[in-house]
Amino acid sequence: MNTRFSSSRRTLLIAAAAAIALPVRMAAAAPASDGRALLEAFLARAKGGEGTFRQQTRDRNGNVTGSAEGRFVFLRPGAFDWSYTKPYSQQIVSDGKTLWIYDEDLMQVTVRPIGEGLDATPAAVLFGSGRIPEDWGVESAERVLTLTPPEAVGGFERIVIRFSAEGVPATLELSDSFGQTTTVEFPGFAAAVPPADRFAFKVPEGVDVVEASF
């Protein structure tokens, strides 16, 4: 098993899925600077895109416990390719039905169904129906939106989306039940609508395949 991710693989997966779809540069800023209005404007316009990300995780004391960066591509609903390039190589790919986690160093691919599982995670807001679940708590302020599920979902207790002055999502913060906070920044993005077959992952030759449930 990949010891680097054995205790936090689900957390990183959901962070990736939730973050990929956020940083779409809209043709015009939302008519209001209210966080919910900005998110809804994004959901109405965003179909796909690609770009870069930086990710950092801190413990409950504020100490940095992990940093990473990489690239992403997404196509709503449900398809994405979230690839870490530093400090290690790992690729997380979904075609909307199946999820593949490829660890290049370990020469291992973990495969699991994602369809129903995605609908039960924070990622559903962005990759699923494009709506905030009715039973989630919503706090909307000036360029900030805080989402709180009724109970921890995939380990997450709170999601905070912060928008830039131009109305573009700038950071995503995910707080988990262990007191950790994962922050994802988006320094680069280009709007795009990639073809669906872009997300059909092919297992490299000689790589071990592990089947797992969500």
Side-chain angles (χ1 to χ4, degrees):
M1 178 177 288
N2 186 345
T3 56
R4 290 181 310 200
F5 298 99
S6 58
S7 65
S8 60
R9 178 171 286 176
R10 181 183 293 270
T11 298
L12 290 174
L13 163 62
I14 298 174
I20 291 168
L22 283 174
V24 168
R25 187 168 297 280
M26 296 172 287
S33 59
D34 175 79
R36 182 164 190 163
L38 292 171
L39 177 62
E40 289 176 347
F42 155 74
L43 293 174
R45 302 180 188 188
K47 178 62 177 177
E50 58 187 0
T52 59
F53 69 88
R54 290 194 296 260
Q55 178 177 306
Q56 187 175 82
T57 299
R58 293 178 179 270
D59 63 19
R60 63 176 69 251
N61 298 315
N63 301 311
V64 176
T65 58
S67 298
E69 60 184 78
R71 297 191 60 82
F72 65 84
V73 182
F74 73 92
L75 179 67
R76 293 181 59 232
F80 59 85
D81 182 339
W82 182 267
S83 298
Y84 290 95
T85 56
K86 294 180 181 180
Y88 43 76
S89 295
Q90 188 189 51
Q91 189 176 13
I92 303 172
V93 181
S94 168
D95 63 2
K97 297 180 180 179
T98 302
L99 181 82
W100 296 269
I101 303 175
Y102 173 39
D103 191 303
E104 187 176 337
D105 293 341
L106 294 182
M107 294 290 287
Q108 177 179 294
V109 174
T110 301
V111 185
R112 65 185 67 191
I114 195 175
E116 294 182 1
L118 184 66
D119 289 338
T121 71
V125 176
L126 303 166
F127 289 148
S129 63
R131 294 189 298 270
I132 299 172
E134 293 183 1
D135 59 346
W136 284 24
V138 179
E139 295 179 31
S140 189
E142 183 79 10
R143 301 203 306 268
V144 178
L145 181 66
T146 301
L147 304 175
T148 308
E151 58 184 33
V153 178
F156 284 108
E157 297 181 333
R158 188 179 65 169
I159 304 166
V160 179
I161 305 168
R162 289 187 169 84
F163 296 84
S164 71
E166 293 74 31
V168 179
T171 65
L172 178 78
E173 293 181 6
L174 302 108
S175 300
D176 66 27
S177 52
F178 298 101
Q180 299 181 114
T181 299
T182 297
T183 301
V184 184
E185 299 177 342
F186 307 103
F189 174 83
V193 182
D197 59 9
R198 160 71 175 74
F199 305 96
F201 183 79
K202 294 182 180 179
V203 177
E205 232 179 281
V207 170
D208 292 332
V209 177
V210 178
E211 300 282 346
S213 59
F214 195 89

